Amino acid sequence: MAENDENSVLIDCETGRELGCNTFCCRLLVQLKPHEREERSDGLPAKGYVDKNEHGLCVHMDTETWRCNIWDKRPETCREYTCNDDFKLQIVLREGFTNIVDLVKKTSTAYIPQETYISIPPLPSASGAE
């Protein structure tokens, strides 16, 4: 794991998976910001989203190590995402999910008070991280 600056928080994704997130953020539809979109040579509009693999996971996730292959160059949407504030993750941790459509349906009827959110813990410190 890359060493982070003092303003960032390392999230313990291993514990998150143990709690049941099942690499939740790597399954989300990640929209690229306009300046992150690559021009295409075929005349079609630039792609606005990060591709998924055949299992619905981000193409940049290494399925052997469960780590991001482009961590230092990941899209702004990924950099800005905080799982502990995500209502959808709270649904996943309590009820699980099979696909994004299932998750959206569950979020439309669920109520979870923010004070009862399950938190994915930050790692103790960036120093000594892999």
Side-chain angles (χ1 to χ4, degrees):
M1 193 174 283
E3 188 172 313
N4 291 0
D5 66 34
E6 62 203 14
N7 296 322
S8 64
V9 176
L10 293 173
I11 298 297
D12 187 346
C13 292
E14 186 64 34
T15 300
R17 287 193 295 278
E18 288 173 16
L19 288 170
C21 83
N22 297 311
T23 62
F24 175 73
C25 61
C26 295
R27 295 176 190 270
L28 296 174
L29 185 60
V30 174
Q31 186 173 8
L32 297 170
K33 307 268 174 132
H35 68 275
E36 296 173 315
R37 299 175 187 176
E38 294 183 19
E39 293 297 321
R40 296 175 53 138
S41 61
D42 57 10
L44 294 173
K47 194 180 310 179
Y49 296 90
V50 174
D51 286 329
K52 300 289 186 182
N53 68 18
E54 65 274 8
H55 304 291
L57 297 167
C58 175
V59 295
H60 301 297
M61 191 185 85
D62 183 327
T63 56
E64 290 184 26
T65 64
W66 295 92
R67 292 179 187 245
C68 178
N69 285 325
I70 61 165
W71 183 258
D72 293 329
K73 297 178 183 173
R74 67 195 185 281
E76 284 183 38
T77 300
C78 298
R79 292 174 186 272
E80 295 166 353
Y81 178 76
T82 57
C83 62
N84 288 327
D85 294 334
D86 193 324
F87 179 71
K88 293 181 296 301
L89 177 61
Q90 297 304 310
I91 301 293
V92 169
L93 292 173
R94 288 166 171 79
E95 301 180 26
F97 79 115
T98 54
N99 58 56
I100 294 297
V101 173
D102 172 53
L103 180 58
V104 169
K105 287 179 183 176
K106 288 179 179 183
T107 60
S108 68
T109 58
Y111 171 72
I112 303 171
Q114 195 160 15
E115 61 271 9
T116 67
Y117 275 20
I118 299 167
S119 211
I120 305 299
L123 291 172
S125 76
S127 62
E130 293 177 13

